[in-house]
Amino acid sequence: MSADVLRLGRYDFVSRLIVGTGKYPSLDVMQAAHDASGAEIVTVAIRRINLDDAGGRTLLDYIDRDRYTILPNTAGCYCADDAVLTAQLARELLSTDLIKLEVIGDAQTLYPDTRGTLVAAERLVAEKFTVLPYIGDDPIACRQLEELGCAAVMPLAAPIGSGLGVCNPYSIAIIKQRAKIPVIVDAGVGTASDAAIAMELGVDALLMNTGIARARDPVLMATAMKHATIAGRQAFLAGRMEKRLFADASSPMQDLIGTQAR
């Protein structure tokens, strides 16, 4: 497994779990959960960083930049222009070309605006960003984003923060089967079994926040998500047994009879 590397553009990672920074009961709990998750990438909503904190500390001060790669995101943007501007500000603030692109099309479901996402992605790729776009579980939109030069595609498993798990595994499987870039399931993972199921579909990584942050014990849930992500990946690589309608004896009599005859 040490050679099983997640490659996003020019960046390589061993962990296939990406975690967020919102909704935690405290920043100290967030830090502990990040540590327990084993993640190497932490995503941060640039539009929600408070730079006027009375104590002089911001969210960024609670993330060890020597340990974690920060993945800024454009959460809260509802048009391509705002998303591109936010990405440009993130690059200046964090000195990174990485960007998780979000262009939201509906305030209630937080589903992405596909057209706006495609427009913003094309502009950001042209500006040499490493673009990781959040998108619906639409194989066509994912193919178009790949053709534009995105470093990965990030189809949702379910609406952001819903915890419903993988609602349409068949679409996710089609996206993964066709993609030549990493597929990262983003949004909807609520518990460890959801994470394992998503990874067993063959996706390259998971991004989650609410499933960990809103658990009764975020640190313990982060540990569970770490192990589920690893287990799901290993199960996919191992290749599951064929499903059968009828029983198949664990100790076949045919082999036993052949041994007795000899």
Side-chain angles (χ1 to χ4, degrees):
M1 292 295 291
S2 60
D4 186 33
V5 174
L6 172 65
R7 180 158 294 156
L8 302 175
R10 60 189 177 90
Y11 302 89
D12 289 345
F13 303 96
V14 175
S15 173
R16 292 176 179 269
L17 177 59
I18 303 169
V19 293
T21 53
K23 302 181 180 179
Y24 284 92
S26 72
L27 291 173
D28 290 330
V29 171
M30 180 196 76
Q31 279 187 316
H34 288 175
D35 179 62
S37 73
E40 296 172 276
I41 308 173
V42 174
T43 188
V44 175
I46 294 299
R47 292 167 65 95
R48 293 170 184 158
I49 296 176
N50 181 11
L51 298 177
D52 298 319
D53 183 82
R57 301 189 74 189
T58 72
L59 171 66
L60 297 175
D61 294 308
Y62 289 84
I63 302 172
D64 183 353
R65 299 286 295 276
D66 293 328
R67 179 175 179 182
Y68 301 106
T69 296
I70 295 182
L71 172 61
N73 67 63
T74 64
C77 294
Y78 283 81
C79 69
D81 286 343
D82 285 352
V84 170
L85 177 59
T86 302
Q88 292 166 339
L89 293 172
R91 180 158 61 183
E92 293 299 316
L93 176 64
L94 299 171
S95 300
T96 181
D97 65 318
L98 284 166
I99 192 70
K100 180 196 170 192
L101 174 62
E102 294 185 29
V103 182
I104 300 301
D106 180 77
Q108 185 174 28
T109 64
L110 298 181
Y111 272 28
D113 177 342
T114 300
R115 179 181 297 178
T117 301
L118 289 166
V119 170
E122 185 171 20
R123 290 170 60 183
L124 291 171
V125 168
E127 293 186 22
K128 308 302 182 184
F129 280 89
T130 300
V131 183
L132 314 177
Y134 161 72
I135 195 67
D137 56 352
D138 177 357
I140 306 305
C142 288
R143 186 196 69 204
Q144 292 170 334
L145 288 164
E146 179 176 345
E147 290 171 347
L148 288 174
C150 292
V153 288
M154 306 181 74
L156 57 83
I160 292 173
S162 67
L164 291 173
V166 183
C167 290
N168 194 342
Y170 303 105
S171 286
I172 299 295
I174 291 170
I175 291 167
K176 175 56 189 173
Q177 182 179 3
R178 293 180 173 180
K180 296 181 177 63
I181 56 176
V183 176
I184 303 171
V185 161
D186 179 15
V189 173
T191 191
S193 58
D194 297 336
I197 287 170
M199 293 302 295
E200 286 173 9
L201 291 172
V203 302
D204 299 276
L206 306 174
L207 190 151
M208 64 184 73
N209 181 73
T210 308
I212 296 174
R214 287 294 192 230
R216 286 195 296 272
D217 186 335
V219 178
L220 187 57
M221 182 60 81
T223 303
M225 293 296 195
K226 170 186 175 180
H227 292 304
T229 302
I230 294 170
R233 177 66 178 174
Q234 291 179 334
F236 168 73
L237 294 175
R240 66 158 294 141
M241 62 167 285
E242 178 186 355
K243 293 183 179 181
R244 302 172 181 271
L245 290 177
F246 301 101
D248 182 25
S250 298
S251 301
M253 290 301 295
Q254 181 179 356
D255 293 344
L256 181 60
I257 293 171
T259 300
Q260 290 174 338
R262 288 194 295 269

Short mmCIF file of all heavy atoms in Angstrom, two decimals, residues 16-18 100 133-135 137 152-158 165-169 171-173 175-176 182-190 194-195 197-209:
data_model
loop_
_atom_site.label_atom_id
_atom_site.label_comp_id
_atom_site.label_asym_id
_atom_site.label_seq_id
_atom_site.Cartn_x
_atom_site.Cartn_y
_atom_site.Cartn_z
N ARG A 16 -6.01 8.98 1.56
CA ARG A 16 -7.09 9.21 0.59
C ARG A 16 -8.31 9.82 1.25
O ARG A 16 -9.41 9.79 0.69
CB ARG A 16 -7.43 7.91 -0.13
CG ARG A 16 -6.28 7.46 -1.03
CD ARG A 16 -6.51 6.13 -1.70
NE ARG A 16 -5.36 5.81 -2.54
CZ ARG A 16 -5.25 6.14 -3.83
NH1 ARG A 16 -6.24 6.78 -4.42
NH2 ARG A 16 -4.17 5.83 -4.51
N LEU A 17 -8.11 10.39 2.41
CA LEU A 17 -9.19 11.08 3.13
C LEU A 17 -8.84 12.55 3.24
O LEU A 17 -7.78 12.91 3.76
CB LEU A 17 -9.37 10.46 4.51
CG LEU A 17 -10.41 11.10 5.43
CD1 LEU A 17 -11.79 11.08 4.79
CD2 LEU A 17 -10.44 10.41 6.78
N ILE A 18 -9.72 13.40 2.75
CA ILE A 18 -9.57 14.85 2.83
C ILE A 18 -10.63 15.36 3.79
O ILE A 18 -11.80 14.96 3.71
CB ILE A 18 -9.76 15.49 1.44
CG1 ILE A 18 -8.77 14.89 0.44
CG2 ILE A 18 -9.59 17.01 1.51
CD1 ILE A 18 -9.06 15.28 -1.01
N LYS A 100 -10.27 23.99 -4.68
CA LYS A 100 -11.50 23.20 -4.79
C LYS A 100 -12.58 24.17 -5.27
O LYS A 100 -12.98 25.08 -4.55
CB LYS A 100 -11.89 22.58 -3.46
CG LYS A 100 -13.16 21.75 -3.56
CD LYS A 100 -13.76 21.45 -2.21
CE LYS A 100 -15.14 20.85 -2.40
NZ LYS A 100 -15.91 20.79 -1.14
N PRO A 133 -12.93 20.36 -9.10
CA PRO A 133 -14.29 20.89 -9.07
C PRO A 133 -15.30 19.97 -8.41
O PRO A 133 -15.36 18.77 -8.68
CB PRO A 133 -14.62 21.07 -10.56
CG PRO A 133 -13.82 20.00 -11.24
CD PRO A 133 -12.58 19.78 -10.41
N TYR A 134 -16.11 20.58 -7.53
CA TYR A 134 -17.29 19.91 -6.96
C TYR A 134 -18.39 19.95 -8.02
O TYR A 134 -18.67 20.99 -8.60
CB TYR A 134 -17.70 20.67 -5.70
CG TYR A 134 -19.12 20.44 -5.23
CD1 TYR A 134 -19.50 19.22 -4.66
CD2 TYR A 134 -20.08 21.46 -5.32
CE1 TYR A 134 -20.80 19.03 -4.21
CE2 TYR A 134 -21.37 21.27 -4.87
CZ TYR A 134 -21.74 20.06 -4.32
OH TYR A 134 -23.02 19.85 -3.88
N ILE A 135 -19.01 18.79 -8.26
CA ILE A 135 -19.98 18.69 -9.34
C ILE A 135 -21.01 17.62 -8.99
O ILE A 135 -20.79 16.82 -8.07
CB ILE A 135 -19.26 18.36 -10.70
CG1 ILE A 135 -20.17 18.60 -11.89
CG2 ILE A 135 -18.70 16.94 -10.66
CD1 ILE A 135 -20.51 20.05 -12.13
N ASP A 137 -23.31 14.15 -9.64
CA ASP A 137 -22.88 12.80 -10.06
C ASP A 137 -23.31 12.57 -11.51
O ASP A 137 -24.03 11.62 -11.83
CB ASP A 137 -23.43 11.73 -9.12
CG ASP A 137 -24.94 11.77 -8.98
OD1 ASP A 137 -25.58 12.72 -9.48
OD2 ASP A 137 -25.50 10.84 -8.37
N ALA A 152 -8.81 16.71 -11.14
CA ALA A 152 -9.68 15.66 -10.59
C ALA A 152 -11.11 16.13 -10.76
O ALA A 152 -11.36 17.29 -11.09
CB ALA A 152 -9.38 15.40 -9.11
N VAL A 153 -12.05 15.23 -10.56
CA VAL A 153 -13.45 15.61 -10.48
C VAL A 153 -13.97 15.15 -9.12
O VAL A 153 -13.54 14.13 -8.59
CB VAL A 153 -14.30 15.02 -11.62
CG1 VAL A 153 -13.98 15.72 -12.93
CG2 VAL A 153 -14.11 13.51 -11.75
N MET A 154 -14.94 15.91 -8.58
CA MET A 154 -15.42 15.64 -7.22
C MET A 154 -16.95 15.55 -7.22
O MET A 154 -17.65 16.47 -6.79
CB MET A 154 -14.93 16.74 -6.27
CG MET A 154 -13.43 16.95 -6.30
SD MET A 154 -12.84 18.22 -5.17
CE MET A 154 -13.01 17.35 -3.60
N PRO A 155 -17.49 14.44 -7.73
CA PRO A 155 -18.94 14.29 -7.73
C PRO A 155 -19.49 14.10 -6.33
O PRO A 155 -18.86 13.47 -5.47
CB PRO A 155 -19.16 13.04 -8.58
CG PRO A 155 -17.91 12.25 -8.41
CD PRO A 155 -16.81 13.26 -8.30
N LEU A 156 -20.67 14.66 -6.10
CA LEU A 156 -21.30 14.49 -4.79
C LEU A 156 -21.86 13.08 -4.65
O LEU A 156 -22.28 12.47 -5.63
CB LEU A 156 -22.38 15.54 -4.58
CG LEU A 156 -23.53 15.64 -5.60
CD1 LEU A 156 -24.64 14.64 -5.33
CD2 LEU A 156 -24.11 17.04 -5.61
N ALA A 157 -21.86 12.58 -3.41
CA ALA A 157 -22.53 11.31 -3.11
C ALA A 157 -23.98 11.57 -2.72
O ALA A 157 -24.86 10.76 -2.97
CB ALA A 157 -21.81 10.59 -1.97
N ALA A 158 -24.21 12.74 -2.11
CA ALA A 158 -25.52 13.19 -1.65
C ALA A 158 -25.37 14.68 -1.35
O ALA A 158 -24.24 15.19 -1.32
CB ALA A 158 -25.96 12.40 -0.41
N GLY A 165 -25.15 9.25 2.54
CA GLY A 165 -24.32 8.22 1.91
C GLY A 165 -24.37 8.31 0.40
O GLY A 165 -24.82 9.31 -0.17
N VAL A 166 -23.92 7.26 -0.27
CA VAL A 166 -23.87 7.26 -1.74
C VAL A 166 -25.26 6.95 -2.27
O VAL A 166 -25.71 5.81 -2.27
CB VAL A 166 -22.85 6.23 -2.25
CG1 VAL A 166 -22.77 6.30 -3.78
CG2 VAL A 166 -21.47 6.48 -1.64
N CYS A 167 -25.94 7.99 -2.75
CA CYS A 167 -27.33 7.81 -3.21
C CYS A 167 -27.41 7.14 -4.57
O CYS A 167 -28.38 6.45 -4.86
CB CYS A 167 -28.03 9.17 -3.26
SG CYS A 167 -28.35 9.88 -1.63
N ASN A 168 -26.41 7.36 -5.42
CA ASN A 168 -26.45 6.77 -6.77
C ASN A 168 -25.10 6.14 -7.07
O ASN A 168 -24.28 6.71 -7.79
CB ASN A 168 -26.79 7.83 -7.81
CG ASN A 168 -27.17 7.20 -9.15
OD1 ASN A 168 -26.87 6.03 -9.42
ND2 ASN A 168 -27.82 7.98 -9.99
N PRO A 169 -24.87 4.95 -6.54
CA PRO A 169 -23.57 4.30 -6.75
C PRO A 169 -23.29 3.99 -8.21
O PRO A 169 -22.13 3.93 -8.63
CB PRO A 169 -23.67 3.01 -5.93
CG PRO A 169 -25.13 2.76 -5.78
CD PRO A 169 -25.76 4.11 -5.72
N SER A 171 -24.00 5.83 -10.93
CA SER A 171 -23.41 7.00 -11.58
C SER A 171 -21.96 7.20 -11.16
O SER A 171 -21.10 7.50 -11.99
CB SER A 171 -24.22 8.26 -11.25
OG SER A 171 -25.44 8.28 -11.95
N ILE A 172 -21.69 7.02 -9.88
CA ILE A 172 -20.31 7.16 -9.40
C ILE A 172 -19.42 6.12 -10.08
O ILE A 172 -18.29 6.43 -10.49
CB ILE A 172 -20.24 7.01 -7.87
CG1 ILE A 172 -21.07 8.11 -7.18
CG2 ILE A 172 -18.80 7.06 -7.39
CD1 ILE A 172 -20.57 9.52 -7.37
N ALA A 173 -19.92 4.90 -10.20
CA ALA A 173 -19.13 3.84 -10.84
C ALA A 173 -18.86 4.16 -12.31
O ALA A 173 -17.75 3.92 -12.81
CB ALA A 173 -19.86 2.50 -10.71
N ILE A 175 -18.72 7.19 -13.65
CA ILE A 175 -17.75 8.29 -13.67
C ILE A 175 -16.34 7.76 -13.47
O ILE A 175 -15.41 8.12 -14.20
CB ILE A 175 -18.11 9.33 -12.57
CG1 ILE A 175 -19.41 10.06 -12.94
CG2 ILE A 175 -16.96 10.33 -12.38
CD1 ILE A 175 -19.99 10.86 -11.81
N LYS A 176 -16.17 6.89 -12.51
CA LYS A 176 -14.84 6.34 -12.22
C LYS A 176 -14.34 5.48 -13.39
O LYS A 176 -13.16 5.54 -13.76
CB LYS A 176 -14.88 5.52 -10.93
CG LYS A 176 -13.57 4.80 -10.62
CD LYS A 176 -12.39 5.76 -10.58
CE LYS A 176 -11.07 5.02 -10.48
NZ LYS A 176 -9.92 5.93 -10.61
N PRO A 182 -8.21 11.46 -11.21
CA PRO A 182 -8.81 10.97 -9.97
C PRO A 182 -10.26 11.41 -9.79
O PRO A 182 -10.65 12.51 -10.19
CB PRO A 182 -7.91 11.58 -8.89
CG PRO A 182 -6.60 11.79 -9.57
CD PRO A 182 -6.94 12.16 -10.97
N VAL A 183 -11.05 10.53 -9.18
CA VAL A 183 -12.43 10.82 -8.83
C VAL A 183 -12.52 10.85 -7.31
O VAL A 183 -12.17 9.86 -6.64
CB VAL A 183 -13.39 9.76 -9.40
CG1 VAL A 183 -14.82 10.01 -8.93
CG2 VAL A 183 -13.31 9.73 -10.92
N ILE A 184 -12.95 11.96 -6.78
CA ILE A 184 -13.02 12.15 -5.32
C ILE A 184 -14.48 12.37 -4.95
O ILE A 184 -15.10 13.35 -5.39
CB ILE A 184 -12.18 13.36 -4.87
CG1 ILE A 184 -10.72 13.18 -5.30
CG2 ILE A 184 -12.29 13.56 -3.36
CD1 ILE A 184 -9.86 14.42 -5.08
N VAL A 185 -15.05 11.48 -4.17
CA VAL A 185 -16.43 11.67 -3.72
C VAL A 185 -16.47 12.78 -2.69
O VAL A 185 -15.76 12.74 -1.68
CB VAL A 185 -17.01 10.36 -3.15
CG1 VAL A 185 -18.24 10.64 -2.29
CG2 VAL A 185 -17.40 9.43 -4.29
N ASP A 186 -17.30 13.77 -2.95
CA ASP A 186 -17.37 14.96 -2.11
C ASP A 186 -18.81 15.18 -1.69
O ASP A 186 -19.68 15.35 -2.54
CB ASP A 186 -16.85 16.16 -2.92
CG ASP A 186 -16.91 17.46 -2.15
OD1 ASP A 186 -17.07 17.41 -0.92
OD2 ASP A 186 -16.79 18.52 -2.79
N ALA A 187 -19.05 15.17 -0.41
CA ALA A 187 -20.36 15.51 0.17
C ALA A 187 -21.27 14.29 0.31
O ALA A 187 -21.38 13.47 -0.60
CB ALA A 187 -21.09 16.58 -0.64
N GLY A 188 -21.90 14.18 1.46
CA GLY A 188 -22.91 13.17 1.70
C GLY A 188 -22.51 12.00 2.56
O GLY A 188 -23.36 11.25 3.03
N VAL A 189 -21.21 11.81 2.79
CA VAL A 189 -20.75 10.68 3.62
C VAL A 189 -21.09 10.98 5.08
O VAL A 189 -20.66 12.00 5.63
CB VAL A 189 -19.24 10.45 3.44
CG1 VAL A 189 -18.74 9.40 4.43
CG2 VAL A 189 -18.94 10.02 2.02
N GLY A 190 -21.85 10.08 5.70
CA GLY A 190 -22.31 10.34 7.06
C GLY A 190 -21.67 9.48 8.13
O GLY A 190 -21.58 9.88 9.29
N ASP A 194 -20.54 4.38 4.97
CA ASP A 194 -20.67 5.16 3.73
C ASP A 194 -19.31 5.34 3.07
O ASP A 194 -19.18 5.26 1.85
CB ASP A 194 -21.25 6.55 4.02
CG ASP A 194 -22.65 6.51 4.60
OD1 ASP A 194 -23.37 5.52 4.37
OD2 ASP A 194 -23.03 7.48 5.28
N ALA A 195 -18.30 5.62 3.89
CA ALA A 195 -16.95 5.82 3.36
C ALA A 195 -16.44 4.54 2.71
O ALA A 195 -15.86 4.57 1.61
CB ALA A 195 -16.01 6.26 4.48
N ILE A 197 -18.18 2.04 1.47
CA ILE A 197 -18.95 1.75 0.25
C ILE A 197 -18.45 2.60 -0.91
O ILE A 197 -18.26 2.11 -2.03
CB ILE A 197 -20.45 2.00 0.49
CG1 ILE A 197 -21.03 0.89 1.39
CG2 ILE A 197 -21.22 2.08 -0.83
CD1 ILE A 197 -22.43 1.16 1.88
N ALA A 198 -18.22 3.87 -0.66
CA ALA A 198 -17.73 4.76 -1.71
C ALA A 198 -16.36 4.31 -2.22
O ALA A 198 -16.12 4.25 -3.43
CB ALA A 198 -17.65 6.20 -1.20
N MET A 199 -15.46 3.98 -1.31
CA MET A 199 -14.13 3.54 -1.72
C MET A 199 -14.17 2.21 -2.45
O MET A 199 -13.38 1.97 -3.37
CB MET A 199 -13.19 3.46 -0.52
CG MET A 199 -12.86 4.81 0.12
SD MET A 199 -12.09 6.00 -1.01
CE MET A 199 -10.55 5.19 -1.39
N GLU A 200 -15.08 1.33 -2.08
CA GLU A 200 -15.19 0.03 -2.75
C GLU A 200 -15.68 0.18 -4.19
O GLU A 200 -15.48 -0.72 -5.01
CB GLU A 200 -16.13 -0.89 -1.96
CG GLU A 200 -15.51 -1.42 -0.69
CD GLU A 200 -16.49 -2.20 0.18
OE1 GLU A 200 -17.61 -2.46 -0.30
OE2 GLU A 200 -16.15 -2.52 1.32
N LEU A 201 -16.29 1.32 -4.52
CA LEU A 201 -16.67 1.59 -5.90
C LEU A 201 -15.46 1.91 -6.77
O LEU A 201 -15.56 1.94 -7.99
CB LEU A 201 -17.66 2.76 -5.96
CG LEU A 201 -19.05 2.51 -5.38
CD1 LEU A 201 -19.83 3.82 -5.34
CD2 LEU A 201 -19.80 1.47 -6.20
N GLY A 202 -14.32 2.16 -6.11
CA GLY A 202 -13.10 2.41 -6.84
C GLY A 202 -12.69 3.86 -6.91
O GLY A 202 -11.70 4.20 -7.57
N VAL A 203 -13.45 4.76 -6.24
CA VAL A 203 -13.06 6.16 -6.28
C VAL A 203 -11.70 6.34 -5.62
O VAL A 203 -11.26 5.51 -4.82
CB VAL A 203 -14.11 7.07 -5.61
CG1 VAL A 203 -15.46 6.90 -6.28
CG2 VAL A 203 -14.23 6.82 -4.12
N ASP A 204 -11.04 7.41 -5.96
CA ASP A 204 -9.66 7.60 -5.54
C ASP A 204 -9.51 8.21 -4.15
O ASP A 204 -8.48 8.04 -3.51
CB ASP A 204 -8.93 8.46 -6.57
CG ASP A 204 -8.92 7.78 -7.93
OD1 ASP A 204 -8.03 6.95 -8.16
OD2 ASP A 204 -9.81 8.07 -8.75
N ALA A 205 -10.52 8.95 -3.71
CA ALA A 205 -10.43 9.59 -2.40
C ALA A 205 -11.81 10.07 -1.98
O ALA A 205 -12.77 10.07 -2.77
CB ALA A 205 -9.44 10.75 -2.43
N LEU A 206 -11.90 10.49 -0.73
CA LEU A 206 -13.13 11.05 -0.17
C LEU A 206 -12.84 12.40 0.46
O LEU A 206 -11.78 12.59 1.07
CB LEU A 206 -13.71 10.13 0.91
CG LEU A 206 -13.95 8.67 0.57
CD1 LEU A 206 -14.38 7.91 1.82
CD2 LEU A 206 -15.01 8.55 -0.52
N LEU A 207 -13.78 13.32 0.34
CA LEU A 207 -13.72 14.57 1.08
C LEU A 207 -14.94 14.64 1.97
O LEU A 207 -16.07 14.45 1.49
CB LEU A 207 -13.66 15.78 0.15
CG LEU A 207 -13.36 17.11 0.83
CD1 LEU A 207 -12.63 18.07 -0.11
CD2 LEU A 207 -14.61 17.79 1.38
N MET A 208 -14.73 14.87 3.24
CA MET A 208 -15.86 14.95 4.16
C MET A 208 -15.60 15.97 5.26
O MET A 208 -14.46 16.25 5.63
CB MET A 208 -16.15 13.59 4.78
CG MET A 208 -15.04 13.04 5.65
SD MET A 208 -15.40 11.38 6.25
CE MET A 208 -15.17 10.41 4.77
N ASN A 209 -16.70 16.52 5.77
CA ASN A 209 -16.62 17.46 6.88
C ASN A 209 -17.71 17.18 7.91
O ASN A 209 -17.43 16.80 9.04
CB ASN A 209 -16.72 18.90 6.36
CG ASN A 209 -16.60 19.91 7.48
OD1 ASN A 209 -15.53 20.13 8.02
ND2 ASN A 209 -17.71 20.52 7.86
#
